[in-house]
Amino acid sequence: MHLFPENLAVEISTYYRNLALGHEVIPKVFTLVNGEGDQYLFFIDDLPIEKEEEKNQFLTYIVQEYDAVCYARGTLVIVEKNQQFIEFAVIERDDSDAIICSAELTRDMDDKPIGLGEFEKTLVKKGTIIFGGLFETIQLSEDKIEDFHSLWVEMKSKILHRSMGL
């Protein structure tokens, strides 16, 4: 595991803690970091795409188009009403392992987040993660590539972009 995935895991943990406890929202998050240290982060639900398969194609396009070295995807997992977790995975291009992070979310009687446990990190094989294959090359039509490029340009105003530095 290299520096970017480890740093990204710490950063996404803090990001989710702030969103859940400070803003009472737990969005589906996607972020990537490229070789120059540029990071892009956005909410998956902001994508104007209905089908999950097409969302994954778009994310694959972005990972490949921006030459990502690692990416992370996170969400709320509801086991039961009183058992909820925020989970995310960090996947690195050149590593067969990935980092899975999970923390239990506690809500009050009004269903507002009031507590978030510590994120526990676990190393797993990249191939065991449902969305762990975004580095795998896919063939897209020229029209689809143009649509995805236009969508990315349209979303730029909603995307957090910063440099993680080298």
Side-chain angles (χ1 to χ4, degrees):
M1 209 40 62
H2 294 97
L3 184 61
F4 283 151
E6 292 285 341
N7 286 344
L8 196 56
V10 170
E11 182 177 293
I12 297 300
S13 298
T14 302
Y15 188 69
Y16 263 123
R17 185 169 305 285
N18 289 336
L19 284 174
L21 302 178
H23 301 282
E24 300 177 353
V25 295
I26 301 118
K28 294 177 184 171
V29 171
F30 184 81
T31 186
L32 68 85
V33 177
N34 67 18
E36 287 76 47
D38 287 322
Q39 179 185 11
Y40 301 90
L41 182 141
F42 59 91
F43 298 160
I44 293 173
D45 291 336
D46 285 348
L47 293 173
I49 300 173
E50 296 298 319
K51 297 178 183 174
E52 194 64 30
E53 179 181 342
E54 195 170 354
K55 283 181 185 179
N56 287 335
Q57 287 176 350
F58 175 75
L59 297 176
T60 300
Y61 165 79
I62 295 303
V63 164
Q64 294 173 9
E65 184 69 19
Y66 288 88
D67 197 27
V69 294
C70 65
Y71 65 87
R73 185 171 178 175
T75 193
L76 174 67
V77 176
I78 300 173
V79 179
E80 293 180 18
K81 178 138 177 77
N82 63 346
Q83 190 176 18
Q84 299 180 9
F85 298 86
I86 296 177
E87 294 186 348
F88 64 89
V90 180
I91 292 95
E92 185 179 4
R93 178 177 49 206
D94 297 329
D95 199 324
S96 60
D97 290 328
I99 301 170
I100 297 286
C101 294
S102 180
E104 188 164 7
L105 180 69
T106 307
R107 295 183 182 266
D108 66 13
M109 299 302 278
D110 296 323
D111 209 31
K112 292 182 180 178
I114 59 169
L116 185 61
E118 291 301 314
F119 278 92
E120 295 182 23
K121 283 193 324 185
T122 307
L123 282 181
V124 300
K125 292 296 177 195
K126 182 170 30 179
T128 63
I129 300 171
I130 294 170
F131 50 84
L134 300 184
F135 287 115
E136 296 172 13
T137 304
I138 60 169
Q139 297 298 319
L140 298 172
S141 69
E142 289 298 320
D143 288 343
K144 185 63 81 175
I145 291 170
E146 189 175 306
D147 289 348
F148 285 167
H149 176 75
S150 296
L151 175 57
W152 182 254
V153 169
E154 177 185 319
M155 289 195 54
K156 284 274 186 168
S157 65
K158 298 177 182 178
I159 295 173
L160 170 70
H161 173 228
R162 69 180 188 94
S163 177
M164 291 181 82
L166 294 175

